[in-house]
Amino acid sequence: MKFGYSDTCLDHETGVRHPESPDRLRAIRRGLADAHSVEYVEADPSERERIRAAHDGEYIDSIETFCDSGGGNWDADTVVSEGTWEAALASAGLAEWAAEAALSGSDGRQTPFSIGRPPGHHAEEDDAMGFCFFNNVAIAAQSVIDSGEADRVAIFDWDVHHGNGTQDIFYDQGNVFYASIHEDGLYPGTGDVEETGTGAGEGTTMNLPFAPGTTTAAYLAALSEVIGPAVEAFDPDLFLISAGFDPHEHDPISRMRVSTEGFGCLAAAVREIADDADAALGFVLEGGYGLDTLSDSVRKVHEVFDGYQPIEPDEPVSEGARDVIDAVKTEEFPGL
Ligand code: OKP
Ligand code: ZN
């Protein structure tokens, strides 16, 4: 894969014992060190005008001012250091690069994956939360729409947390489809099955809150039965993955049970959906807090794009997940 990476993303300092640390990116790069066909690209940071694609101007100013004054706690777990401003611009710029590279034809072994931090999917139009400041994937999606490079963008968020920010930013838009699988009951608490969009965006949001303990098989069933068909019907030019690795079975902050091999299966599944929809495909890093599980899982995704065929799990779809998938299918998206 082509990895978008910038050292500037290391300058966002969250302090000791914060799970969202610069070591996450160092671990990913160490994990990829001896892998075949890894290429690094350092993209330009986002320009303020591009951040405006998803955020309120006054909010952007207030983040800049907060960083300039040395930072501190924006909220209980969203920590700002002086370097956060530049890191957040770099992280958003990497996501923009991933979208543009995919749309310019970078695919197969060259599929783009932006490994920036801070992550983005909790960031709202006018607020930072959940370790996120600028909504990288939303900025990327809206930017390529604004520039005319894409008419429609689909986003699938497999981070264990619901991407409330991404959902909200596009909730009433008909040109961005957002689907999320997340752990029910976990932060931030949004993402019910009934949340499906409003106005022009009615039917362009899809949520699958799965119970703690859900395994890879349920993710694959959701992709093949509802997310894939919905993305194909939406007919996007670009399919972006908000790729968080915190649903890993050994991640320290979640109770989901996706295996390392399972992330390879998810990568193969989204690649197939992109191919079937004839859409460009790009990945944007969100969470993932076990350094080994994060680096092993990113490496597994990379290997799938390098020709490795992941082994599908030999396990049943749990009853709870089956009920959620069926509810989405029969009650919220009966047309699929
Ligand atoms: C960011 B990403 C509540 C704990 C909140 C925040 C988790 C943010 C995760 N007291 N923890 O989605 O991986
Ligand atoms: Zn997360």
Side-chain angles (χ1 to χ4, degrees):
M1 301 184 88
K2 268 194 189 176
F3 288 92
Y5 170 80
S6 167
D7 281 332
T8 308
C9 288
L10 304 175
D11 297 341
H12 166 52
E13 289 162 13
T14 48
V16 287
R17 281 188 293 276
H18 195 289
E20 204 293 285
S21 80
D23 287 341
R24 298 176 60 236
L25 301 187
R26 296 191 183 102
I28 291 172
R29 280 161 57 83
R30 210 177 309 121
L32 292 169
D34 61 347
H36 286 130
S37 58
V38 170
E39 192 185 324
Y40 285 104
V41 175
E42 181 169 359
D44 292 332
S46 276
E47 287 170 16
R48 201 188 192 86
E49 261 321 292
R50 301 285 83 236
I51 304 287
R52 289 274 290 135
H55 294 282
D56 184 86
E58 279 178 37
Y59 164 67
I60 301 170
D61 292 344
S62 65
I63 292 288
E64 184 171 29
T65 308
F66 199 71
C67 295
D68 282 349
S69 69
N73 275 74
W74 184 272
D75 68 24
D77 44 40
T78 310
V79 183
V80 177
S81 70
E82 230 176 307
T84 298
W85 173 254
E86 298 292 344
L89 294 178
S91 191
L94 291 170
E96 280 188 64
W97 161 81
E100 283 164 11
L103 283 164
S104 319
S106 207
D107 62 0
R109 284 188 166 77
Q110 264 76 54
T111 300
F113 191 153
S114 80
I115 49 168
R117 64 179 286 278
H121 72 156
H122 297 304
E124 299 273 1
E125 186 175 357
D126 63 356
D127 202 7
M129 60 185 274
F131 315 163
C132 301
F133 300 90
F134 299 145
N135 196 313
N136 307 311
V137 80
I139 290 163
Q142 188 63 53
S143 288
V144 294
I145 289 173
D146 290 346
S147 68
E149 289 163 277
D151 292 326
R152 284 178 305 287
V153 179
I155 299 169
F156 168 48
D157 186 333
W158 79 40
D159 187 281
V160 80
H161 303 95
H162 180 241
N164 59 288
T166 315
Q167 170 170 303
D168 274 16
I169 288 164
F170 298 121
Y171 208 59
D172 60 358
Q173 281 183 220
N175 53 3
V176 178
F177 176 85
Y178 174 74
S180 172
I181 299 177
H182 44 275
E183 182 178 321
D184 194 15
L186 207 60
Y187 181 90
T190 47
D192 288 344
V193 166
E194 292 79 21
E195 296 167 20
T196 55
T198 186
E202 185 61 60
T204 65
T205 296
M206 178 184 276
N207 284 300
L208 294 115
F210 284 168
T214 302
T215 60
T216 309
Y219 282 72
L220 295 176
L223 280 162
S224 68
E225 294 179 37
V226 286
I227 298 169
V231 169
E232 284 160 43
F234 185 71
D235 190 25
D237 303 296
L238 173 65
F239 189 23
L240 290 175
I241 310 302
S242 259
F245 294 87
D246 42 11
H248 193 284
E249 56 191 341
H250 300 308
D251 185 276
I253 76 171
S254 94
R255 290 186 290 164
M256 292 305 236
R257 289 178 47 207
V258 177
S259 60
T260 301
E261 191 72 16
F263 282 104
C265 296
L266 295 190
V270 299
R271 179 177 58 186
E272 192 173 318
I273 292 168
D275 285 349
D276 290 346
D278 201 17
L281 176 65
F283 292 78
V284 176
L285 182 67
E286 300 286 356
Y289 303 102
L291 297 182
D292 293 337
T293 58
L294 173 62
S295 61
D296 290 350
S297 303
V298 171
R299 169 138 182 170
K300 188 63 72 180
V301 169
H302 163 73
E303 284 172 354
V304 165
F305 284 89
D306 198 34
Y308 173 72
Q309 277 205 337
I311 299 153
E312 295 232 354
D314 179 21
E315 66 201 8
V317 176
S318 62
E319 264 177 57
R322 169 50 51 208
D323 290 346
V324 173
I325 295 168
D326 287 347
V328 168
K329 210 180 336 193
T330 61
E331 282 158 45
E332 309 301 335
F333 292 84
L336 290 182

